[in-house]
Amino acid sequence: MILTDEHWPSDLGPVVCVVGARPNFMKMAPILRAFGAHRPALPTLLLHTGQHYDKDMNDRLFADLRLPRPDINLEVGSATHAVQTAEVMKRFEPVLDSQRPSCVLVVGDVNSTLACALVCAKKDVPVVHVEAGLRSHDRAMPEEINRVLTDQIADRLYTTERSALANLTREGVAEERVCFVGNVMIDSLLANREFAQAPAKTLQIAGGDPAVIDDPCGYGVVTLHRPSNVDRSDTLQALLAVLREVSDGLPLVFAMHPRTRANIERFGLGELLRSPRIVVLPPQGYLEMLGLLASAKLVLSDSGGLQEESTALGVPCLTIRENTERPITIEQGTNTLVGADPQAIRRGVDEILSGAGKSGRIPEFWDGRAAERIAADLSAWLLARHAQRVG
């Protein structure tokens, strides 16, 4: 899927665009479309590291997002953080040697993002980082390490919110390397909202009772997957217990991550979710989750992306974490941090059900055109670098 244009210099290689895990797909889809629509079009090559290796889920996401099939799949699969990062690096290096790209574009904060950026740094290939400068200031999170190191390596950094620049300059990143463009996750949301699947259909297909979400109070959407919430028996038990309590007043749709499901079984906690007012679903496709979120009364989650999507949709979100790398969702959006404290969770739910939840507003440049701004800036940046080299 190499897109070319007669005005693009023939000796300037493609932009290698890297995806590795589910959140990357939503960010890359609008970027590839914008690169193809830009004039001159940016030649691109889509590389999937295979970090997210569920073939069925991959296929659904690519179809839902109208994302082209990858040109290259490294098929690294699952492993420890160190082994997975090393395997991506080992398999990615020959791609750089054979493709000779003009730059490598990485998104977000997964292991694949850092691994490919590290290889580029060793091979003197420019790195472009989309979603740069986000910080939770929690170095215990593997994603935080990935974010910080990728930004140190990157040559061009695209930010989703203005506060990201302060983080980057504090870490010694020159301001001229940074460009505020907005949020490509919201590009995907706005482009796909009309295609979102109705919640009742999603429940019906998954074998749940669609009548559950017809409650006069509405329904809540739940996701949990972070190790800090699901890997300890006592923490997970307390969270499931409070979800059971919440469901008495508001039915819940729980899209359950495989890691969470495995730990619930391992710790023998399944009884806590056996309620007619809690519908447990397997991991859902993008259009299914978008439909569930858009119609929800509230969201309970430890996901980074759902903080942004709920803000864009105007749905109150209670984030089950002590910190967030997306402060704009709190300052301007619908997000509230409640940690893993059952009392704070109950209080947050009660406030929302009483009508006191955050309504928020749409942050700057969350307008569906972030990818267009990236395409315009990156094209100008690459062509200027090329002219300097050949001139």
Side-chain angles (χ1 to χ4, degrees):
M1 187 214 51
I2 295 181
L3 306 173
T4 59
D5 186 280
E6 60 182 357
H7 300 298
W8 190 262
S10 60
D11 58 339
L12 189 55
V15 178
V16 171
C17 298
V18 176
V19 294
R22 177 183 173 124
N24 298 162
F25 304 156
M26 283 80 94
K27 297 163 190 171
M28 194 61 74
I31 292 172
L32 290 177
R33 284 195 290 273
F35 284 3
H38 187 72
R39 290 295 173 262
L42 283 76
T44 63
L45 184 144
L46 180 60
L47 181 140
H48 189 351
T49 66
Q51 178 180 329
H52 183 127
Y53 57 92
D54 184 320
K55 182 179 183 300
D56 291 339
M57 186 58 73
N58 273 347
D59 289 346
R60 285 176 68 184
L61 284 168
F62 275 83
D64 287 351
L65 294 164
R66 290 161 285 143
L67 188 62
R69 304 304 303 172
D71 300 289
I72 299 171
N73 192 326
L74 301 183
E75 298 181 342
V76 298
S78 182
T80 66
H81 285 285
V83 170
Q84 189 177 67
T85 302
E87 195 61 33
V88 171
M89 293 178 70
K90 186 173 76 174
R91 299 187 189 195
F92 183 60
E93 184 173 23
V95 175
L96 290 188
D97 292 337
S98 64
Q99 297 297 328
R100 302 177 63 83
S102 58
C103 67
V104 170
L105 184 146
V106 294
V107 296
D109 54 21
V110 301
N111 288 340
S112 296
T113 296
L114 175 60
C116 292
L118 283 168
V119 177
C120 290
K122 301 292 186 181
K123 306 285 287 186
D124 197 28
V125 175
V127 175
V128 176
H129 187 202
V130 174
E131 203 179 70
L134 297 181
R135 297 291 181 268
S136 67
H137 306 291
D138 180 3
R139 292 295 180 95
M141 293 178 64
E143 296 91 343
E144 182 79 349
I145 303 302
N146 292 344
R147 287 189 282 263
V148 171
L149 295 181
T150 301
D151 286 340
Q152 287 295 314
I153 293 167
D155 299 271
R156 196 71 180 147
L157 300 94
Y158 294 114
T159 59
T160 61
E161 54 185 83
R162 290 195 182 274
S163 65
L165 177 60
N167 294 330
L168 293 168
T169 54
R170 189 164 49 245
E171 294 167 4
V173 176
E175 186 172 348
E176 58 266 23
R177 289 161 55 193
V178 182
C179 181
F180 171 50
V181 294
N183 196 326
V184 291
M185 280 281 281
I186 308 309
D187 288 15
S188 270
L189 185 149
L190 295 176
N192 289 287
R193 188 167 182 179
E194 64 179 297
F195 306 113
Q197 182 165 284
K201 184 176 181 181
T202 297
L203 266 62
Q204 188 175 36
I205 291 172
D209 182 4
V212 171
I213 61 174
D214 291 335
D215 190 276
C217 290
Y219 66 91
V221 171
V222 179
T223 75
L224 286 174
H225 74 281
R226 294 196 178 274
S228 59
N229 284 329
V230 306
D231 282 3
R232 287 173 52 101
S233 175
D234 54 347
T235 303
L236 182 57
Q237 182 174 5
L239 287 174
L240 296 182
V242 76
L243 290 177
R244 177 70 176 260
E245 291 179 37
V246 168
S247 73
D248 291 337
L250 183 75
L252 300 176
V253 179
F254 193 160
M256 190 175 289
H257 191 279
R259 180 192 196 102
T260 309
R261 185 181 296 275
N263 284 338
I264 288 173
E265 293 174 1
R266 179 159 67 100
F267 300 141
L269 301 175
E271 190 62 34
L272 288 169
L273 294 179
R274 291 193 181 97
S275 164
R277 292 177 64 81
I278 300 177
V279 180
V280 177
L281 304 180
Q284 295 297 299
Y286 180 70
L287 297 181
E288 288 85 353
M289 279 302 295
L290 181 53
L292 287 168
L293 291 172
S295 299
K297 180 74 172 181
L298 62 83
V299 176
L300 284 155
S301 178
D302 56 12
S303 161
L306 290 193
Q307 296 173 53
E308 296 176 327
E309 291 171 328
S310 58
T311 282
L313 293 166
V315 176
C317 178
L318 300 177
T319 295
I320 305 174
R321 287 170 50 185
E322 301 297 334
N323 51 58
T324 179
E325 64 283 355
R326 295 164 167 86
I328 199 167
T329 64
I330 295 175
E331 296 158 5
Q332 299 183 24
T334 60
N335 188 25
T336 302
L337 292 179
V338 292
D341 177 8
Q343 185 175 346
I345 294 170
R346 286 190 212 98
R347 186 167 57 247
V349 171
D350 289 345
E351 287 177 358
I352 293 168
L353 293 182
S354 71
K358 287 185 176 181
S359 56
R361 64 182 176 86
I362 304 300
E364 183 183 10
F365 279 2
W366 288 28
D367 57 1
R369 301 185 62 186
E372 293 177 26
R373 288 186 278 269
I374 292 171
D377 180 84
L378 185 59
S379 175
W381 185 74
L382 287 173
L383 291 172
R385 282 171 56 92
H386 178 262
Q388 191 174 33
R389 278 199 312 272
V390 300

